[in-house]
Amino acid sequence: MNVQTLSISGMTCDQCAKSIEEVLAGVAGVVEAKVSYDEGTAYVKTNDEVGGAALIDAVKGKGFGAEVLDRGGLVLAKAVSDRSLISIVDTSTPSVTPRWRSRGGLHIAIIGSGGAAFAAAIRAAEEGASVTLIEARQIGGTCVNIGCVPSKIMIRAAHLAHLQSAHPFDGIKKHIAALDRSALLRQQQGRVEELRHAKYESLLESNPRIRLVRGFAHFGKAGNLMVKQPDGKEKRLHADRVLIATGASPSIPKTPGLRDTPYWTSTKALIAEQLPEHLIVHGGSVVAVELGQAFLRLGSKVTLIARSTLLSKEDPAIGDGLKAVLEGEGVRILTHTAVKQVSYGRKWFRKRFRVDTGGETLVGDRLLVATGRTPITAQMGLEWVGVKMDQRGAIVVDDHLRTSAEHIYAAGDCTTQPAFCTSPLPLARARRSTCWAGRRHWISPPCPRSFSPIRKSRPWA
């Protein structure tokens, strides 16, 4: 009797290990076969006349790669998989450095499923890699679900409503638009679902090289890539490369009393079933400005409170111009004003927000907090694999989207790169040169798009 040890490449799950185990057990002269997905190894008990070549041929016939090892772990014979689904790495070290790589291709794990994640996944699959997308929430990320798509639909509707009473033509009677908020919301969210399926879900259905794993991805102390699944169980994944594309979420200031109130973020504001009589907007960001203007045009009274100026990180002339336009439409804007305290309670027979700025107390039925966004990197265990972050929790990357940890990349709003929805386009090109090829040394940065109030736009921009 002999016990032969094989290293197996190309497995992506425990089912792969089981199928290899079955085919090895069917080889003439094999007494017993055990295959470990976690170790990437097969242990085969055979009769003396069974050689390693027969075992390799059996594994290769299932589309995997195999190498026969001696007792010291050296390769005696090998066969490379014809598949491009490779997922064997040594996760015992924090660098997530591959133990070996099959010539059949790479296995790339992508944490997140937004624009950056899918751009990379599609390009990687086109280049022959297998891709595992890991997502704990809604597929599609911010843009299609709670960002660009629903906000621009709402803004466009608000613009059309505004034009009915504010157009420049003497021969067209002006009137206040009659709004059906329920119908607007139903159409908006219907388009969100349609585009999510067309641009994201359908790609998973049609591309066998890209698979989806549900759960929260994080790194363990030993550098292992783990996924906490919806049932609470931990699943270990193997990958040659990891791309972190988790995006960002609304940043909530530590204003006294705020967290005890039912304040809105942009996510909640976009799906509000009723329009507020008086909306107080806390923040001077792009999101604060565009949503504040939209609610005003849909009929709400709007007061905007900015700690500094509008769009304070941009050219001052842009903020000044926006302030003039918005005030001309009826928005009350308080610049260089801080929110000292927030409370929520009954006033005048209904519950309202009370926002104390130090100089006055504002009363409104809704409060939208739009003070910026925070990278989603908390509790991911990035410290265990040596991924550096800045004080905001944004992952530090270079021009090639490389992090400080070898074989780990990051893209999109979770990084120190500019947060523009055009970023995934150069990212998709970059995947070819950085995530697996490593031969190219430069990519064009995204071209930032300046913000301006909506005047001309397409219905579903």
Side-chain angles (χ1 to χ4, degrees):
M1 287 287 183
N2 288 327
V3 176
Q4 302 191 48
T5 303
L6 285 74
S7 67
I8 309 296
S9 58
M11 294 188 293
T12 60
C13 60
D14 290 327
Q15 186 60 39
C16 295
K18 184 178 180 180
S19 66
I20 296 172
E21 197 170 273
E22 291 175 351
V23 74
L24 287 173
V27 174
V30 170
V31 177
E32 184 181 14
K34 295 291 184 182
V35 180
S36 171
Y37 164 60
D38 286 337
E39 296 178 6
T41 306
Y43 302 96
V44 187
K45 184 183 295 185
T46 69
N47 294 328
D48 292 340
E49 64 272 13
V50 178
L55 303 179
I56 289 175
D57 288 343
V59 174
K60 186 178 179 182
K62 293 292 290 184
F64 298 89
E67 299 174 342
V68 178
L69 307 177
D70 68 7
R71 292 184 179 181
L74 297 177
V75 177
L76 296 179
K78 64 181 179 180
V80 177
S81 166
D82 291 328
R83 294 169 43 144
S84 59
L85 306 179
I86 305 303
S87 62
I88 304 300
V89 299
D90 181 358
T91 54
S92 63
T93 59
S95 65
V96 197
T97 302
R99 187 189 309 155
W100 60 76
R101 182 189 308 164
S102 166
R103 296 174 187 171
L106 290 179
H107 177 219
I108 300 175
I110 300 179
I111 306 174
S113 67
F118 261 84
I122 293 169
R123 190 54 179 268
E126 289 174 350
E127 295 288 333
S130 73
V131 180
T132 298
L133 287 170
I134 309 167
E135 180 57 73
R137 296 172 295 175
Q138 185 66 266
I139 293 175
T142 296
C143 185
V144 72
N145 291 306
I146 58 174
C148 313
V149 172
S151 68
K152 298 310 172 286
I153 293 174
M154 180 179 178
I155 289 169
R156 177 59 169 163
H159 182 217
L160 293 177
H162 171 69
L163 288 179
Q164 293 186 41
S165 61
H167 62 76
F169 299 101
D170 296 335
I172 301 177
K173 186 177 180 180
K174 297 178 182 179
H175 61 275
I176 302 299
L179 299 178
D180 183 341
R181 177 58 183 164
S182 296
L184 287 174
L185 185 59
R186 186 166 54 251
Q187 185 180 26
Q188 170 188 299
Q189 293 307 108
R191 184 60 170 167
V192 167
E193 293 177 7
E194 179 185 343
L195 288 178
R196 180 172 59 238
H197 179 74
K199 302 297 183 180
Y200 296 90
E201 294 169 341
S202 65
L203 294 177
L204 292 176
E205 297 168 0
S206 62
N207 196 326
R209 293 187 183 277
I210 305 175
R211 68 168 182 145
L212 175 68
V213 172
R214 289 287 188 179
F216 176 75
H218 62 98
F219 294 95
K221 292 184 179 180
N224 303 328
L225 177 57
M226 309 294 296
V227 179
K228 186 174 183 180
Q229 301 174 99
D231 60 4
K233 295 181 180 179
E234 294 277 355
K235 178 183 180 68
R236 181 182 178 185
L237 291 182
H238 300 262
D240 298 297
R241 302 285 187 272
V242 177
L243 172 67
I244 303 171
T246 48
S249 61
S251 177
I252 308 302
K254 297 179 180 180
T255 304
L258 176 62
R259 294 178 184 269
D260 298 325
T261 69
Y263 62 87
W264 278 353
T265 61
S266 59
T267 303
K268 293 182 179 179
L270 288 169
I271 58 173
E273 296 183 353
Q274 294 182 335
L275 297 171
E277 291 183 10
H278 182 198
L279 174 65
I280 302 173
V281 181
H282 179 16
S285 65
V286 170
V287 174
V289 168
E290 67 177 5
L291 289 185
Q293 184 187 48
F295 275 100
L296 178 82
R297 290 176 166 185
L298 291 173
S300 299
K301 175 184 175 182
V302 176
T303 301
L304 190 149
I305 307 169
R307 182 179 59 183
S308 180
T309 60
L310 299 186
L311 306 190
S312 58
K313 296 181 180 180
E314 306 297 333
D315 189 308
I318 298 176
D320 293 342
L322 278 174
K323 186 171 184 291
V325 169
L326 295 175
E327 286 181 333
E329 291 189 12
V331 179
R332 185 188 179 200
I333 300 176
L334 305 177
T335 55
H336 303 288
T337 302
V339 174
K340 302 295 185 181
Q341 188 169 357
V342 175
S343 61
Y344 182 74
R346 190 169 297 279
K347 183 177 178 62
W348 300 325
F349 306 105
R350 59 188 297 184
K351 289 187 176 181
R352 294 176 181 270
F353 284 88
R354 295 174 63 88
V355 179
D356 181 11
T357 65
E360 65 175 302
T361 299
L362 301 170
V363 178
D365 46 336
R366 287 296 178 186
L367 172 64
L368 168 60
V369 179
T371 53
R373 296 181 70 79
T374 299
I376 301 176
T377 54
Q379 301 180 332
M380 288 187 63
L382 299 181
E383 65 276 12
W384 300 122
V385 288
V387 173
K388 294 182 180 179
M389 296 174 283
D390 67 8
Q391 65 275 12
R392 295 173 50 248
I395 298 173
V396 178
V397 295
D398 62 14
D399 290 340
H400 308 277
L401 305 180
R402 295 174 297 197
T403 70
S404 54
E406 188 178 7
H407 304 301
I408 298 181
Y409 300 76
D413 293 354
C414 67
T415 73
T416 51
Q417 293 285 333
F420 297 107
C421 65
T422 50
S423 296
L425 299 179
L427 164 67
R429 297 193 297 268
R431 292 305 91 216
R432 181 177 183 179
S433 59
T434 60
C435 205
W436 57 82
R439 293 187 295 271
R440 300 275 293 279
H441 301 288
W442 184 84
I443 60 172
S444 300
C447 179
R449 296 183 298 174
S450 298
F451 170 85
S452 62
I454 296 296
R455 295 189 183 279
K456 296 181 181 179
S457 64
R458 294 182 298 183
W460 312 118

